[in-house]
Amino acid sequence: MTTTPAEDSAAHPRFAAALDELGLGRLRAEIRRFPDATRTAAEAAAAIGCELAQICKSLIFAADGVPVLVLMDGASRVDVERVRQELGAGKVTRAKAEVVRETTGYAIGGVPPFGHRTKTRVLADRSLLDHAVVWAAAGTPHTVFPMDPETLVAHAGGTLVDVRETSS
């Protein structure tokens, strides 16, 4: 499948504005739009032609009812208990779709790592640092952008943690 640079109109307006605000406007030219959805990490990796682990998933959880963003590599799953311990929360669950949209301004499958409607706490799993470049959603289920993980985590305001499931 071929990719083409997204036209400005293809970038989600909120995400495009966030790039500008962060001084990252040059990244607009690197946003890739795909005719088929890249909602899941597997779909995105297949479309891009990269390893599954090079996808940065932006997942919203509710920690004692408060939204928190977890950035995780596409090949791993989040260990909710580790997130709970990291946050010192009583209970952590996956956020419902309406909470994701209300908190971030984006639909599940298109949530970028930054440029959200509201400020949320961000946990970034260290596994992202295993790659020179990771790909993340650019605000829609059809768009992605590349960035080195250290810069991505910094712009997301993330705290590096170990919250991925480990095999027993």
Side-chain angles (χ1 to χ4, degrees):
M1 183 178 296
T2 59
T3 65
T4 56
E7 298 169 14
D8 277 348
S9 61
H12 189 286
R14 179 178 292 107
F15 185 68
L19 289 176
D20 291 341
E21 288 169 22
L22 293 168
L24 300 171
R26 64 177 163 54
L27 273 180
R28 283 183 183 210
E30 295 185 50
I31 294 173
R32 299 291 178 252
R33 180 172 180 78
F34 296 93
D36 297 319
T38 53
R39 248 182 210 101
T40 68
E43 289 171 346
I48 296 163
C50 70
E51 293 177 30
L52 185 56
Q54 288 178 275
I55 301 300
C56 175
K57 299 187 286 191
S58 298
L59 306 169
I60 301 290
F61 290 85
D64 294 334
V66 178
V68 62
L69 172 65
V70 177
L71 302 176
M72 176 61 67
D73 79 80
S76 300
R77 292 177 50 92
V78 174
D79 184 327
V80 177
E81 177 59 20
R82 291 176 101 179
V83 171
R84 188 193 69 73
Q85 290 171 359
E86 190 65 45
L87 297 171
K91 182 178 181 183
V92 173
T93 59
R94 283 298 281 271
K96 294 183 179 351
E98 59 271 14
V99 172
V100 172
R101 187 178 285 280
E102 182 181 303
T103 300
T104 67
Y106 306 98
I108 291 173
V111 177
F114 48 80
H116 298 174
R117 178 180 286 153
T118 61
K119 179 95 171 119
T120 56
R121 184 155 179 200
V122 180
L123 301 179
D125 192 79
R126 288 183 211 288
S127 59
L128 291 169
L129 302 181
D130 293 343
H131 309 282
V133 172
V134 293
W135 292 82
T140 78
H142 294 272
T143 55
V144 295
F145 72 98
M147 184 176 270
D148 75 89
E150 292 87 358
T151 302
L152 184 142
V153 171
H155 284 297
T159 301
L160 285 173
V161 294
D162 294 305
V163 293
R164 70 177 163 172
E165 286 184 352
T166 54
S167 38
S168 3

